[in-house]
Amino acid sequence: MSEFSGTCVALSGGVGGAKLALGLSKTLAPEHLNVIVNTGDDFEHLGLTICPDLDTLTYTLAGLNNTETGWGRMGETWTFMDALKALGGEAWFQLGDGDLATHVERTRRLAAGESLSSVTAALTARLGIEVAITPMSDDAVRTYVDTADGALAFQHYFVRDQCAPVVTGFEFRGVDVATPSPAVLAALADPALGAVVICPSNPYISIDPVLAVPGLRAAIEAAAAPVIAVSPIVGGRAIKGPTTKMMVELGVTQSAASVARHYRGLIDGFVIDSEDEATGDEIRALGMDVLTTNTVMQSLEDRVSLAADVLEFATVLRSKPE
Ligand code: FO1
């Protein structure tokens, strides 16, 4: 087992990414892990600024996450939502009473002029999280899903319309004038950086918005560390969410190899599940190394084991001659 040394930067969206981020957090010293999180899912709702992927990462690393839904807090009560419904308020986006406190406090701090990075650092510290959870940008970036009937705001597509519309493309509105948040560039420029890990999140709606922030992809490419992506597709299926439905609608084969192709040119290594071992050579032919292991994370042990495998893979790649 070649021991990993140095720091790790992980790129993550919601549920799938958060599972691996948790595994990494149990494997690395907290000061050696920085999780860069997609903010394209963020939106203003009921007068609140809601940041779903930041909150999924925060709740997951704080051990507060609701494992059934994959979002929000465990053991929630719904007094606010029940009262809102009774008043005829917008009830399609479920806000638990505890979760509501996060949105209210974040909105208050943002309105007072704090950056999203500063607010996130304050909220995660209050929840006892030592790992850095960093928004990809402090500037507003909003994912819109292009459909045959026009562009849909992400949460309208994902929650209100339950991912039903046929997807033709994506827009990350505001990304062209966004800049990476300060901690992102610092983490990627750290000479001790030993690995950049693209977590098994949806490549189109969770990872692409991060890579679209001007300067961020270049900072990853300039980093001396190997870049490793973990496939979110196992046996042609997504573990959770609309990834494979999107692939069908975009005319992309539903396979781990398609995801490897999507990241081609950026990544040095790709991690696939044992179920997809037979596709390893096809993926290597794309010009990247392949690690085959168990990528389906059901238990905490699975999360830690995959994290250890990914970091060992990075160590192996770092020791390879250029
Ligand atoms: N997803 C749903 O499918 N239904 C919901 O009612 C819902 C509420 C919600 C509240 C707070 C939050 O942080 C996330 C929430 N999500 C909900 C998930 C959200 O749509 C995220 O964008 C997904 O996790 C995709 O990343």
Side-chain angles (χ1 to χ4, degrees):
M1 161 87 172
S2 31
E3 200 54 36
F4 177 80
S5 67
T7 62
C8 173
V9 167
L11 275 55
S12 179
V15 192
K19 287 181 179 176
L20 181 54
L22 182 65
L24 290 165
S25 76
K26 304 287 185 189
T27 312
L28 295 161
E31 68 274 14
H32 286 171
L33 175 59
N34 193 317
V35 188
I36 299 175
V37 182
N38 167 47
T39 57
D41 289 10
D42 298 3
F43 74 133
E44 280 63 40
H45 181 61
L46 304 177
L48 300 167
T49 296
I50 295 174
C51 305
D53 286 349
L54 282 170
D55 291 346
T56 295
L57 261 296
T58 299
Y59 293 149
T60 298
L61 295 191
L64 293 172
N65 59 305
N66 180 322
T67 50
E68 277 80 54
T69 55
W71 50 266
R73 292 178 177 226
M74 69 164 79
E76 268 295 11
T77 52
W78 302 94
T79 305
F80 165 72
M81 283 308 293
D82 294 343
L84 185 66
K85 282 176 199 160
L87 292 172
E90 273 194 85
W92 57 272
F93 195 79
Q94 299 297 305
L95 295 172
D97 297 331
D99 191 33
L100 180 61
T102 301
H103 312 312
V104 168
E105 177 59 4
R106 171 182 286 122
T107 303
R108 179 191 70 79
R109 284 172 170 265
L110 290 172
E114 271 193 72
S115 69
L116 185 56
S117 292
S118 169
V119 174
T120 305
L123 297 182
T124 51
R126 292 291 296 196
L127 293 174
I129 297 167
E130 296 178 273
V131 166
I133 296 176
T134 306
M136 67 190 197
S137 175
D138 288 334
D139 304 311
V141 177
R142 297 287 180 268
T143 297
Y144 278 72
V145 178
D146 294 329
T147 76
D149 304 322
L152 276 176
F154 181 80
Q155 297 301 339
H156 285 170
Y157 164 79
F158 191 87
V159 179
R160 191 196 61 187
D161 303 348
Q162 296 171 15
C163 303
V166 172
V167 169
T168 57
F170 307 95
E171 307 160 39
F172 310 132
R173 293 188 183 172
V175 79
D176 293 343
V177 294
T179 55
S181 58
V184 163
L185 294 179
L188 289 169
D190 187 334
L193 182 64
V196 176
V197 178
I198 299 180
C199 293
S201 294
N202 183 313
Y204 309 110
I205 55 176
S206 296
I207 302 298
D208 280 357
V210 180
L211 297 175
V213 177
L216 208 150
R217 187 185 186 108
I220 293 174
E221 289 167 341
V227 183
I228 295 170
V230 178
S231 177
I233 303 288
V234 173
R237 302 174 316 280
I239 303 299
K240 184 175 170 66
T243 307
T244 43
K245 177 177 181 286
M246 287 178 171
M247 286 176 142
V248 171
E249 292 163 0
L250 296 170
V252 173
T253 308
Q254 297 163 253
S255 66
S258 291
V259 179
R261 210 166 285 116
H262 188 76
Y263 293 133
R264 189 181 196 182
L266 175 66
I267 64 176
D268 304 294
F270 195 64
V271 182
I272 59 175
D273 191 79
S274 310
E275 191 175 330
D276 293 313
E277 180 152 33
T279 67
D281 287 342
E282 175 191 354
I283 296 169
R284 283 183 192 90
L286 296 171
M288 60 188 75
D289 279 73
V290 175
L291 172 72
T292 302
T293 186
N294 170 43
T295 65
V296 180
M297 296 176 276
Q298 283 155 334
S299 66
L300 178 60
E301 290 69 30
D302 293 340
R303 289 158 172 73
V304 173
S305 174
L306 179 57
D309 287 347
V310 169
L311 293 174
E312 185 181 352
F313 190 24
T315 304
V316 167
L317 292 179
R318 276 169 82 183
S319 62
K320 283 185 68 167
E322 279 301 310

